[in-house]
Structures are given as structure tokens and as C-alpha cells.
Amino acid sequence: MAGQPTYERLALAISNSALAQDTAAALRDAHDWVPQEEAEAVVALGGDGFMLQTLHKMLDSGRILPVYGVNRGTMGFLMNKHRPKGALVERVNRSRPVAVAPLRMEAVTQDGEHRIECALNEVSLLRETRQTAKIEILVDGKTRIEELVADGVLVATPAGSTAYNLSANGPILPLDSQLLALTPISAFRPRRWRGAILPDRAKVTFRINEPSKRPVAAVADQKEVRDVAEVHVEIARDSELTLLFDKGHALDDRIVAEQFVV
């Protein structure tokens, strides 16, 4: 593809699964792999969970590289197919880049602690006990739901719209839609509210009502903050990530295809 960079210094990121370890052993002599701190791009061997872990490490370190995933897990929604006979380095350099912007969550606990975490799939608020959560929802500073009584609520990116969001009956969002899904989780009141689709420039705030009686945890992908009082969520435009996909198997194609799965 004209104008597409050629990656010569590649690093391997390998999950702990036996399948990923065996694949890595077979690839050791296929390329002069370099440490990740010297690389131009990363080849990640594992499943979707490992891909998220790899991307989160980049966000935490501040050194963000393009990542080409090879599925050695289960679903592999964020990964490319493993082809034992294919020339992996050539596939990486023929791949199509897809930009993914994560969410930034700022959670304030009942004790006043502030935690900032990023999420590639979703930020979810979940009740911690048998008591339903009571949550006020504000969009761009304006109250839209005075009190959602539910197991929780989530904000999902287009990349994450086919994950937990879809399981909670949220909408599938095309990757280039510049939208966010705001989806209730097992809502009791208001019964007829099924969520909202928001522009990705929106800033969403959740305020917990009766937090001591009805404690709520906030989860950014896999990172949990318990006993929150207030949570702010918005797109982290300064932390955009790049995933590399084989032509015809890109994430945006998969998101469209997922809408026709029956």
C-alpha cells in the first residue's frame, strides 16, 4: 500500500498460554526480533485479553507502537488468523492500520481518592452487593437520567461495542462512526430506557446515589475501582492506538459482520 510504513524492527509479545508459547518457539528463527523498547511495531501472540493487556501496558508506559495480533486464544476478535505457513513479517508489512482511541475514566471514591484509568472496550459501573445501584447520569454536564436503578451501566467504544456492551443488549457501532454507546445493565427503573448513542466528543458523568448503602465499582476494561462516588468518562484523544490487520479481516469489517450473526 502506497505510503504505508515498513516495519523492520519487530518485537514479540507472548501470552503465557501453551499455544502462544509453542507458536513463539516456531517463530524465533523467522526474524531478528528486537526488545520492545527498540521496536517499531509489536507482534502479539495470544487472545483478545492478551491484546488488551499489551495495549494497556503501552498506555501505562507512554510508548505506543502499532500492534499486529496473531490469534492463539479463543475468540480473537482483535487478532489476525494464525497461518503456520505464511510469512508473518510480510503479513505485518502488508497489513492495514486501524486507529482506536481509548476511553479515559476518572473515578472518585467515597474516600476522595482520584484514580485515572483507560479502557479500550468499555467503562462499566457495577453494583457491589445485592442492593441495586442508583446512578445519576449526566452528559456534558446536563442531567439526562436523574436516577437509574439497575445492576449498572456502561460506556462502550465502537471497538468494544461487540463485547460486554452487546451482551447487555447495547448497539453495535461501526468503527469509524465517532460514537459511544451508553447502555444500562439490567435496568429496573426507568424500565423503558434502553440506553443512548452519543457523539464521541461527549463527556459522561455518573454520580452514585446512596453510595454507602448501595456501593458501586467502576471498571475500565480489567482495572477496577471500588466504592466510587463519581465517575467521569471521555475519549482520550491523546492516547490513540494502532492495530494492524490483514486486508479483508480488519476490525471494522468484523464489526459490520457481527450485526448479521444469527
Side-chain angles (χ1 to χ4, degrees), residues 208-246:
I208 311 306
N209 298 336
E210 304 177 39
S212 58
K213 180 181 179 182
R214 303 171 184 271
V216 170
V219 184
D221 284 347
Q222 302 153 339
K223 296 184 178 181
E224 182 182 64
V225 181
R226 295 182 69 82
D227 300 331
V228 295
E230 189 165 301
V231 177
H232 308 275
V233 182
E234 63 182 308
I235 285 285
R237 300 192 185 280
D238 57 345
S239 299
E240 190 172 81
L241 298 150
T242 300
L243 301 182
L244 302 173
F245 289 97
D246 294 332

Side-chain angles (χ1 to χ4, degrees), residues 64-136:
I64 296 174
L65 301 173
V67 183
Y68 180 94
V70 178
N71 186 24
R72 306 317 284 141
T74 307
M75 293 297 294
F77 198 78
L78 299 174
M79 319 297 278
N80 296 282
K81 291 182 179 179
H82 174 55
R83 295 191 176 100
K85 296 181 181 180
L88 179 60
V89 176
E90 292 179 9
R91 288 175 62 194
V92 172
N93 282 305
R94 289 197 306 265
S95 64
R96 173 188 170 192
V98 174
V100 178
L103 295 167
R104 179 178 289 111
M105 174 187 81
E106 181 181 2
V108 183
T109 69
Q110 295 178 41
D111 294 332
E113 178 189 0
H114 286 246
R115 283 269 303 276
I116 295 177
E117 303 287 356
C118 284
L120 289 146
N121 279 349
E122 75 280 316
V123 170
S124 54
L125 276 69
L126 304 166
R127 63 177 176 141
E128 295 179 12
T129 68
R130 61 182 178 81
Q131 295 273 17
T132 54
K134 291 187 175 181
I135 303 170
E136 179 185 358

